[in-house]
């Protein structure tokens, strides 16, 4: 019933499309809130510190849709991306692993909340090996292709030996393990920023990307650290 559409309305429409309607009336225990707050802070921190990742627009621990207890919203920058590079795919993996790593470090246990994150990280690595020729596992060979049938629709065709399948599994397992250790090391190094971000989330439930970036930058300045923020520019100060 408004006479004009504002930026907040557009953002709400995008969030509804991505993660569903807000469910403010859903009762969430303090324990679950704390888990979700650390989980989403882990995603947000890695997104801001990793070159090639998309910067954070908003972090929320308000449930949405059918299963989202919280979410970190990333919206594309000013440049349209027509070709995603290898380092950007790896950056996405680090961001996906940030939630699970945060739970392990700050909660001391892990939950099922990272299931979708791990699935997406695994899928990226599979595509890098089998479709994009970005690893040494299969070199430049394409091992997976989509075949289109006029009436039956498309289906995926995988053509490789059992030995190659074992090599793919081993590479994915080892790479995820290596990236996970790197992410945990990063979160530990930025422990103060993680604690601050989580405290703000538990207090107000939603923080904007600018506040996330401010928390990280303030932590770096206080600790005499050279900024690792991927999107940080000197002129922003």
């Amino acid at each position: 019933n408004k006479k004009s559409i504002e930026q907040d309305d557009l953002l709400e429409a995008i969030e509804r499309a991505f993660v569903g309607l807000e469910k403010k009336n859903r009762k969430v225990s303090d324990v679950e809130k704390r888990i979700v707050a650390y989980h989403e802070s882990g995603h947000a921190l890695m997104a801001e510190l990793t070159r090639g990742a998309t910067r954070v627009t908003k972090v929320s621990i308000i449930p949405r849709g059918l299963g989202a207890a919280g979410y970190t919203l990333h919206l594309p920058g000013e440049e349209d991306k027509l070709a995603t590079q290898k380092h950007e795919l790896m950056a996405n993996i680090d961001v996906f692993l940030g939630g699970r790593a945060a739970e392990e470090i700050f909660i001391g246990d892990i939950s099922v909340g990272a299931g979708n994150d791990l699935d997406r990280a695994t899928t990226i690595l599979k595509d890098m090996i089998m479709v994009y020729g970005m690893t040494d596992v299969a070199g430049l060979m394409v091992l997976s292709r989509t075949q289109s049938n006029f009436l039956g629709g498309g289906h995926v065709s995988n053509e490789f030996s059992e030995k190659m399948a074992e090599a793919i599994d081993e590479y994915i397992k080892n790479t995820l393990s290596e990236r996970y250790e790197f992410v945990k090391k990063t979160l530990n190094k930025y422990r103060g920023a993680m604690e601050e971000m989580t405290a703000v989330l538990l207090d107000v439930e939603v923080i904007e990307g600018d506040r996330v970036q401010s928390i990280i930058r303030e932590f770096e300045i206080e600790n005499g650290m050279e900024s690792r923020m991927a999107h940080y520019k000197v002129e922003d100060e």
Side-chain angles (χ1 to χ4, degrees), residues 98-111:
R100 171 67 169 268
E103 288 185 29
E104 182 177 329
I105 293 170
F106 297 95
I107 301 295
D109 199 356
I110 53 177
S111 73

Side-chain angles (χ1 to χ4, degrees), residues 87-153:
H87 79 275
E88 293 171 322
L89 294 175
M90 295 304 297
N92 287 335
I93 290 172
D94 285 359
V95 174
F96 287 141
L97 295 177
R100 171 67 169 268
E103 288 185 29
E104 182 177 329
I105 293 170
F106 297 95
I107 301 295
D109 199 356
I110 53 177
S111 73
V112 299
N116 182 250
D117 298 328
L118 299 180
D119 180 46
R120 293 166 76 182
T122 301
T123 298
I124 289 174
L125 284 171
K126 282 184 178 179
D127 286 344
M128 288 174 67
I129 297 168
M130 299 166 64
V131 180
Y132 305 129
M134 289 182 172
T135 73
D136 294 331
V137 178
L140 299 179
M141 289 194 300
V142 174
L143 302 179
S144 179
R145 61 179 63 85
T146 301
Q147 297 179 346
S148 179
N149 296 325
F150 179 65
L151 294 176

Side-chain angles (χ1 to χ4, degrees), residues 3 17 34 40 45 60 68-69 72-73 75 78 84 94 97 118 140 148 157 160 168 177 183 200 209 219 224:
K3 293 183 178 180
R34 186 166 175 265
E40 298 305 331
L45 184 83
S60 171
T72 300
L73 185 66
L75 295 183
E78 296 178 359
T84 303
D94 285 359
L97 295 177
L118 299 180
L140 299 179
S148 179
S157 172
F160 47 86
I168 292 171
S177 179
V183 170
V200 174
F219 173 80

Side-chain angles (χ1 to χ4, degrees), residues 7-20 64 73-75:
Q7 185 65 30
D8 287 346
D9 300 317
L10 296 174
L11 187 58
E12 172 62 22
I14 291 170
E15 289 180 81
R16 283 190 183 191
F18 282 174
V19 284
R64 273 185 179 264
L73 185 66
H74 311 262
L75 295 183

Side-chain angles (χ1 to χ4, degrees), residues 39 69 111 155 161 195 228:
H39 184 105
S111 73
H155 69 276
S161 66
E195 295 287 9
R228 276 185 52 184

